[in-house]
Amino acid sequence: MLDGEVYHLAYHQARLQRSLKSIGESTFHTLASLISPPKNGLYRCRVVYDAKSIDIEYLPYTKRVIQHLKIVNSHTIEYPFKYEMRSSIEKLFTQRGASDDILIVKNGYVTDTSIANVAFFDGETWLTPKSPLLCGVTRERLLNEAKIVEEDIRVEDIKKFKKIALMNAMIDFDIIAEENIGEIIC
């Protein structure tokens, strides 16, 4: 949210509805009627909800600078919905060492970082993992717009790519490395 403007609200609403449906709810909160962000500055909107209540807060946002990603493996991690409890991701994040963030690999396949979906450029097409931990709203929007394509990406495939980008609702699509991906991912 920048200067009071909410971006891509329909995608956030759809995710809210999918989450509530997954627990058997058929009554949905309408985000458009509930969100009223500050008029000046960049904010992250934090929405915590269940079937009966919703709590909304606006937090000033500063983009994290990501220059190095450490590959971290987990065969058991699950994060299909945006949960308030992120202990499994936080535990993996502690393994980052001197890196800025982690690139989570599950059963040999690239998934996400701790804060974003990822995409890799092969020289022609931006590819995003077919099985991310979380199907983020920016990822979904870019798939719908045919700007990215899903593909299984094994950890050993990373070296063949020319660029890597992170994507989430706050950073949109942010290219963090061009050409020297090996220097950013260790």
Side-chain angles (χ1 to χ4, degrees):
M1 296 175 185
L2 179 61
D3 297 333
E5 187 172 347
V6 179
Y7 296 95
H8 312 294
L9 188 57
Y11 285 95
H12 292 280
Q13 182 69 44
R15 177 170 60 193
L16 171 85
Q17 289 176 208
R18 279 191 309 274
S19 296
L20 288 171
K21 278 183 183 177
S22 76
I23 58 170
E25 289 299 322
S26 58
T27 304
F28 307 117
H29 307 285
T30 305
L31 293 176
S33 66
L34 298 171
I35 294 177
S36 181
K39 299 295 181 208
N40 296 307
L42 181 62
Y43 288 86
R44 177 173 66 94
C45 180
R46 184 170 185 256
V47 180
V48 178
Y49 57 88
D50 59 25
K52 312 265 185 294
S53 65
I54 191 163
D55 182 43
I56 299 172
E57 63 181 314
Y58 306 97
L59 306 162
Y61 183 77
T62 303
K63 180 183 167 188
R64 278 179 39 193
V65 176
I66 308 289
Q67 295 180 324
H68 293 96
L69 296 169
K70 181 174 181 183
I71 293 173
V72 176
N73 290 288
S74 175
H75 301 298
T76 59
I77 189 163
E78 296 288 334
Y79 192 71
F81 299 103
K82 196 147 186 167
Y83 298 115
E84 189 173 20
M85 295 293 295
R86 293 174 34 97
S87 57
S88 59
I89 292 174
E90 290 165 4
K91 184 177 178 182
L92 293 176
F93 185 73
T94 65
Q95 298 176 38
R96 75 187 180 287
S99 295
D100 304 305
D101 202 349
I102 56 175
L103 184 62
I104 302 167
V105 174
K106 183 174 180 180
N107 299 321
Y109 292 93
V110 174
T111 63
D112 298 318
T113 72
S114 73
I115 60 165
N117 294 123
V118 295
F120 297 89
F121 187 67
D122 65 5
E124 295 181 18
T125 306
W126 281 99
L127 304 170
T128 192
K130 193 180 279 187
S131 299
L133 296 177
L134 177 71
C135 293
V137 296
T138 299
R139 178 184 181 276
E140 184 176 343
R141 177 176 54 85
L142 295 175
L143 283 167
N144 289 342
E145 294 171 358
K147 293 182 178 176
I148 60 175
V149 175
E150 289 182 311
E151 184 171 296
D152 285 327
I153 300 171
R154 297 191 58 80
V155 70
E156 59 267 18
D157 296 335
I158 293 172
K159 63 183 173 281
K160 75 179 183 182
F161 295 110
K162 300 182 181 313
K163 299 179 186 180
I164 182 174
L166 304 183
M167 59 187 133
N168 69 28
M170 292 304 300
I171 62 174
D172 197 47
F173 190 84
D174 187 23
I175 299 171
I176 62 168
E178 297 189 38
E179 301 304 325
N180 297 318
I181 289 181
E183 293 177 15
I184 196 168
I185 300 175
C186 57

